[in-house]
């Protein structure tokens, strides 16, 4: 019955797309700010969908415990453990396993948590040498 209510679906989709765009743009802008501050991160401007293409060029960096991030798997684990940030490396999609690019989903992210997420990421990046 609901699927036959075209206006209701259009309203829902419009609101959903606006919310996703806000999340994508907020995270993108936050990553660009970190890049301007000299951190080895980057992102491609949002291009629709619920994913942001992000770069963490952290191979070769040392953690505060003296471990070196030698592989992208090390970088991925570091981001998850230190920044509490789950990202999918592009090698999962056929890219080289040395690619520093990732996919970040905003599908389940809450707008209110983005600032916290960016602060946790910055704190994790600050620990690297």
């Amino acid at each position: 019955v609901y699927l036959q209510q075209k206006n209701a679906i259009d309203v829902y989709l419009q609101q959903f797309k606006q919310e996703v765009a806000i999340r994508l743009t907020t995270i993108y802008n936050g990553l660009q700010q970190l890049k301007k501050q000299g951190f080895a991160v980057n992102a491609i401007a949002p291009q629709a969908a619920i994913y942001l293409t992000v770069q963490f060029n952290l191979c070769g960096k040392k953690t505060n415990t003296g471990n070196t991030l030698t592989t992208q798997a090390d970088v991925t684990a570091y981001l998850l453990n230190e920044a509490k940030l789950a990202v999918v490396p592009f090698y999962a999609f056929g890219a080289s396993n040395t690619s520093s690019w990732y996919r970040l989903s905003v599908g389940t992210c809450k707008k209110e948590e983005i600032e916290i997420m960016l602060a946790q990421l910055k704190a994790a990046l600050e620990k690297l040498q």
Side-chain angles (χ1 to χ4, degrees):
V1 172
Y2 180 74
L3 293 176
Q4 296 174 5
Q5 298 177 29
K6 183 179 178 342
N7 289 340
I9 292 172
D10 289 344
V11 168
Y12 170 79
L13 289 176
Q14 181 180 5
Q15 179 185 5
F16 177 79
K17 289 176 184 179
Q18 287 173 345
E19 290 295 314
V20 166
I22 289 168
R23 292 180 285 196
L24 287 168
T25 302
T26 303
I27 294 171
Y28 170 78
N29 290 337
L31 290 170
Q32 292 304 305
Q33 186 62 34
L34 290 172
K35 180 181 174 182
K36 286 179 187 175
Q37 293 172 12
F39 295 105
V41 301
N42 200 359
I44 295 175
Q47 299 179 5
I50 61 170
Y51 302 106
L52 191 61
T53 299
V54 298
Q55 182 182 38
F56 297 102
N57 197 10
L58 305 177
C59 276
K61 301 276 187 185
K62 287 191 178 184
T63 67
N64 60 349
T65 60
N67 295 326
T68 301
L69 303 177
T70 52
T71 66
Q72 287 308 127
D74 294 339
V75 172
T76 305
Y78 181 79
L79 292 170
L80 182 60
N81 295 324
E82 285 295 322
K84 308 300 182 222
L85 181 63
V87 290
V88 179
F90 267 27
Y91 64 73
F93 306 105
S96 163
N97 65 356
T98 60
S99 174
S100 58
W101 289 92
Y102 291 82
R103 178 178 278 180
L104 187 148
S105 173
V106 301
T108 61
C109 139
K110 296 179 182 175
K111 290 186 300 188
E112 309 80 48
E113 296 174 352
I114 293 173
E115 189 174 323
I116 295 166
M117 181 269 296
L118 290 169
Q120 289 174 324
L121 175 59
K122 182 178 181 180
L125 295 171
E126 288 175 334
K127 293 178 182 179
L128 296 173
Q129 303 172 11

